[in-house]
């Protein structure tokens, strides 16, 4: 079993990474492999609704100059996905939204029906709006949404500060436990 963890922050090892690393550590206790993929600093195109991906029928976006096709490809060998984003003005980071929209449109077959979760990291407010926004495409792709004992949110401003959010880190571990249970119930090998 493998879970793809997507770090949608421009900070490679900031608070979003710290939360995803907590999830990865907990998944490892269940003998579930994970990989954290960082969106990076390069621009991520938005979908222009050209529909070339559908016409080509190759489960790939025609624009191959950013991380999107890499993520589509990695989902071929992943059983679930967790997308994490920092909160910017009450919204997910722009690149993670662009990636998610293009990946689901062009490579939806690689995501369809696989368990998914969203993680929002913020300094103070806006996390629930980000959390909801990241979840909506999962529902359109018929993906079971994995929850925790609370919304998958953690708080921190400076890199690594989120590790001091005791409840937030517990939420990440519970999310990992619930992801493991769902994958095990589905009998994914």
């Amino acid at each position: 079993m493998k879970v793809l963890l997507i770090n949608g922050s421009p900070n490679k090892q900031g608070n979003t990474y710290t939360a995803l690393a907590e999830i990865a550590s907990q998944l490892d206790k269940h003998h579930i492999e994970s990989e954290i993929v960082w969106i990076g600093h390069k621009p991520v195109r938005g979908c222009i609704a050209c529909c070339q991906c559908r016409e080509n029928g190759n489960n790939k976006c025609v624009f191959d100059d950013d991380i999107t096709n890499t993520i589509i490809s990695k989902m071929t060998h992943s059983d679930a996905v967790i997308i994490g984003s920092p909160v910017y003005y009450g919204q997910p980071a722009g690149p993670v939204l662009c990636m998610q929209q293009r990946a689901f449109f062009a490579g939806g077959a690689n995501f369809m029906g696989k368990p998914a979760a969203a993680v929002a990291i913020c300094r103070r407010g806006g996390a629930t709006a980000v959390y909801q926004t990241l979840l909506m495409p999962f529902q359109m792709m018929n993906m079971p949404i994995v929850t925790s004992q609370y919304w998958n949110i953690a708080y921190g401003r400076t890199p690594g500060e989120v590790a001091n959010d005791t409840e937030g880190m517990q939420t990440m571990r519970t999310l990992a436990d619930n992801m493991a249970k769902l994958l095990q119930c589905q009998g994914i090998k």
Side-chain angles (χ1 to χ4, degrees), residues 57-114:
N58 62 0
N59 223 21
K60 185 177 176 183
C61 182
V62 295
F63 297 114
D64 200 17
D65 56 356
D66 62 31
I67 191 85
T68 302
N69 282 328
T70 300
I71 289 172
I72 292 170
S73 177
K74 286 182 179 290
M75 280 306 296
T76 303
H77 307 290
S78 299
D79 302 301
V81 66
I82 298 174
I83 300 178
S85 177
V87 174
Y88 292 146
Y89 299 98
Q91 301 170 18
V96 77
L97 276 179
C98 290
M99 178 283 302
Q100 187 179 30
Q101 291 168 358
R102 280 183 41 234
F104 282 32
F105 191 76
N110 292 6
F111 292 86
M112 186 75 73
K114 294 180 179 180

Side-chain angles (χ1 to χ4, degrees), residues 30-44:
H30 293 280
H31 308 289
I32 296 174
E33 181 184 350
S34 63
E35 177 184 5
I36 299 175
V37 176
W38 179 49
I39 293 279
H41 287 133
K42 293 181 181 177
V44 178

Side-chain angles (χ1 to χ4, degrees), residues 110-166:
N110 292 6
F111 292 86
M112 186 75 73
K114 294 180 179 180
V119 171
I121 307 300
C122 70
R123 178 189 67 87
R124 187 173 176 99
T128 55
V130 168
Y131 181 64
Q132 283 180 295
T133 300
L134 291 172
L135 290 178
M136 288 180 188
F138 299 149
Q139 295 170 337
M140 294 179 72
M141 299 304 293
N142 201 24
M143 300 171 80
I145 295 173
V146 181
T147 61
S148 61
Q149 81 266 8
Y150 198 67
W151 297 298
N152 304 329
I153 295 169
Y155 296 90
R157 181 178 163 269
T158 58
E161 185 178 354
V162 76
N164 298 327
D165 178 4
T166 306

Side-chain angles (χ1 to χ4, degrees), residues 79 113-115 144 181-189:
D79 302 301
K114 294 180 179 180
K181 286 177 197 170
L182 183 56
L183 288 172
Q184 290 161 353
C185 286
Q186 288 185 329
I188 294 173
K189 302 201 187 297

